[in-house]
Amino acid sequence: MKKRMMSALLIAAALPVAAAQTTVEFWHTFGDPKRGGWIQARADEFNRANPGVKVVPAFKGNDNDLISATVLAARQNTPPALSQIFEGGSQLALDSGVFQPVSGIRNVDFSDYIKPVINFYTIGGKVNSLPFNSSSPVLYYNKDLMKKAGIDPARPPTTYAGLLADCKKIQAANLGAKCFGMSLNGWFVENWMAEQGQTFLNNDNGRSGRATATNLDTPAAKTIFTFFKTLQDNGYYSYTGKLEDFDGSDAIFNNQKVVYHITSTSKIGNNSDAAKKAGFALGVGVLPIPTGSKRGGVVLGGASLWVAKNISKARAEAALDFALFMTNTRNMADWHQLTGYYPVRQSSISLLRSQGWFTKAPLQLVAFNQQTNTVPSPATAGALNGAGPETRRIVEEGLQKVLGGTPVDVALKEAKTRADAALAAYNANFK
C-alpha cells in the first residue's frame, strides 16, 4: 500500500505544473453577428496561439453604455482589462483616471498607424489608446430610385443645395419614398461644423486648453439647423423619432423608404448586404456639405482600445498584446473589407492595394479617399470634450425641436446654454 502511494506521489511530482492563465476581458459595442463574430474569431485565434492568455470578448451595449459600465466597474475594482471607447468619450476616459496610456505599458512602435488617426488619440504627448474602428460619415443612395426620379446615379449630391434640388424631383416623382433619412447624432453636426472650418468647441476644439464653451452660436451651426428645418418643412426627411438610432435609420433606407441616407462608413458592409437582399443597387458618395463651403475634410469617428489602470502587469501586457494583434496589418485589412471601417495602418493600406481591393470595392474607396484627403486643422482634429456624450445629446435634442417646429434661433440658443452648462459642470471637477 505504501509503495503504491509513493509511486502515485512520484508520478504526480513528475507531471508539468499548469501555468496560471491570464484572463483579458474585452468589452466592445458590436452586437451584430458580422462584426461581433469577427472579434470573437480574432480572440479565439489569439487564444490558440497564446495558451497562457484567455481573451474573453463581451458586447456591452452602445458607446455611452460601455464607457459608463467600464468606469463603474473600475470604481468597484473589477474593470475589464481592455475597453473599446468611442472617440467622443476620449476626454472623459482620460479624465476618469481608470485607464493607463498604452505607450506606458511597453515600448511600441506606433509609426505604422495612419497619422491623423494615431494623432487623435495622442494627448499630452502620450498615446493613450490604440486606434481600432475608425470611420467618417458618407452618403448612401439607392440608384434604382434615383433613376425613377430622373436623377443620374453617377452624380450624387455633394452639397446641401444639391441634395435639396434632388429632393424636389424625388417628391414630384411620387416614388412612395421620401428623399432623405439619417439618424439624429451630434457627431454628424460636428462634421458639418468642421466642413465649414468651424470648431465645435472653443480652445481649438479643446486641444490647446480644456474646452469651456461650444460654438453653437455661430453661423456654421445655424446653417446646419436651418438645413434640417428646410428638409422637415418640405416633407423630405424621415427618421424613427429616436435619437442616435443608427440601426433604425439604416432599416428605413434598406427598406427603400428613402432615396438618400447618411451614416458611418462602418455600415458599408452591412448596408451592402441589405441592398443585395432587397434587390437594389447601392451607391456611396462623399458627405454632402453646406453650400459654399470649401471641403476641408471629416472628423474621425469610431473608437479605440483602452487598457485599464490598476491591473496586474501581466494582464496589462496581455491586453496590449491582443490589441496589437487585433489591429495588425492583416487583421485591419480584413476588418476594413468586412465592415467599411478604415484600415488604421499604412501597411494595411499597402496590402489592400497590392490585392487590388480598391479597384474591386469602389464603394470603400470613396470613404477611404474622403478621410485621407482631410486637411489637418483644429476643426477636423475633432472635439476633446469631457461632457461629450451629454453635449451631443443636447445638440440632438435641439435638432429634434427644430423638426417639431421650434424656430432655429430659439433651439440653438437653448442648446448652447445647456451644452455650455454641461461643460462648466464637468470642468468644475478639475479646478
Side-chain angles (χ1 to χ4, degrees), residues 226-248:
T226 301
F227 173 60
F228 275 87
K229 174 176 171 51
T230 303
L231 288 168
Q232 184 72 357
D233 287 353
N234 287 281
Y236 297 156
Y237 180 67
S238 178
Y239 81 122
T240 63
K242 300 176 183 177
L243 303 179
E244 301 181 9
D245 190 4
F246 285 101
D247 291 341

Side-chain angles (χ1 to χ4, degrees), residues 347-383:
S347 56
S348 301
I349 297 169
S350 298
L351 176 60
L352 289 163
R353 282 187 174 136
S354 70
Q355 295 172 340
W357 168 251
F358 293 118
T359 302
K360 293 182 288 186
L363 299 187
Q364 304 274 16
L365 183 59
V366 170
F368 179 77
N369 286 341
Q370 182 176 250
Q371 180 64 54
T372 55
N373 291 334
T374 291
V375 180
S377 72
T380 58

Side-chain angles (χ1 to χ4, degrees), residues 7-283:
S7 297
L9 288 169
L10 288 171
I11 291 169
L15 291 172
V17 178
Q21 194 170 55
T22 301
T23 300
V24 173
E25 305 92 344
F26 171 38
W27 288 3
H28 64 83
T29 60
F30 295 121
D32 59 290
K34 176 176 277 193
R35 296 175 297 179
W38 185 91
I39 289 173
Q40 185 62 58
R42 297 294 74 72
D44 293 343
E45 185 181 356
F46 182 84
N47 291 342
R48 287 193 296 271
N50 299 273
V53 178
K54 184 177 182 182
V55 176
V56 183
F59 167 64
K60 285 291 177 177
N62 65 28
D63 291 330
N64 294 334
D65 292 339
L66 190 143
I67 193 170
S68 298
T70 300
V71 172
L72 177 61
R75 302 278 188 246
Q76 297 171 341
N77 296 317
T78 57
L82 192 65
S83 297
Q84 177 202 8
I85 304 296
F86 74 113
E87 39 70 45
S90 297
Q91 185 70 56
L92 179 59
L94 189 66
D95 290 338
S96 72
V98 305
F99 301 102
Q100 57 182 307
V102 294
S103 57
I105 297 171
R106 191 177 67 242
N107 285 334
V108 174
D109 181 3
F110 299 105
S111 62
D112 189 36
Y113 289 92
I114 298 174
K115 253 200 173 105
V117 178
I118 196 70
N119 285 351
F120 184 97
Y121 299 110
T122 302
I123 306 167
K126 298 176 181 177
V127 180
N128 289 279
S129 55
L130 276 184
F132 170 41
N133 54 301
S134 295
S135 62
S136 68
V138 289
L139 178 74
Y140 293 76
Y141 50 94
N142 185 317
K143 293 183 178 182
D144 298 341
L145 291 179
M146 287 176 73
K147 287 178 183 177
K148 288 181 180 179
I151 301 168
D152 183 359
R155 301 184 67 183
T158 59
T159 64
Y160 284 0
L163 180 60
L164 291 171
D166 282 1
C167 285
K168 193 172 183 179
K169 294 177 183 177
I170 289 164
Q171 190 175 68
N174 293 316
L175 302 176
K178 289 200 173 187
C179 173
F180 178 66
M182 64 179 285
S183 165
L184 286 188
N185 190 288
W187 176 53
F188 299 128
V189 174
E190 291 167 29
N191 270 275
W192 277 320
M193 295 277 279
E195 289 284 15
Q196 298 175 81
Q198 175 66 65
T199 59
F200 177 69
L201 302 171
N202 67 354
N203 295 332
D204 294 323
N205 252 343
R207 291 179 178 272
S208 62
R210 192 175 287 276
T212 59
T214 64
N215 289 321
L216 290 170
D217 55 350
T218 58
K222 185 170 182 177
T223 295
I224 299 164
F225 273 54
T226 301
F227 173 60
F228 275 87
K229 174 176 171 51
T230 303
L231 288 168
Q232 184 72 357
D233 287 353
N234 287 281
Y236 297 156
Y237 180 67
S238 178
Y239 81 122
T240 63
K242 300 176 183 177
L243 303 179
E244 301 181 9
D245 190 4
F246 285 101
D247 291 341
S249 61
D250 278 351
I252 291 173
F253 175 70
N254 292 324
N255 287 327
Q256 304 194 72
K257 297 300 181 183
V258 294
V259 178
Y260 294 126
H261 175 49
I262 290 173
T263 192
S264 167
T265 54
S266 65
K267 297 300 190 81
I268 290 177
N270 286 350
N271 284 344
S272 293
D273 292 345
K276 287 175 186 173
K277 188 174 180 181
F280 70 89
L282 174 71

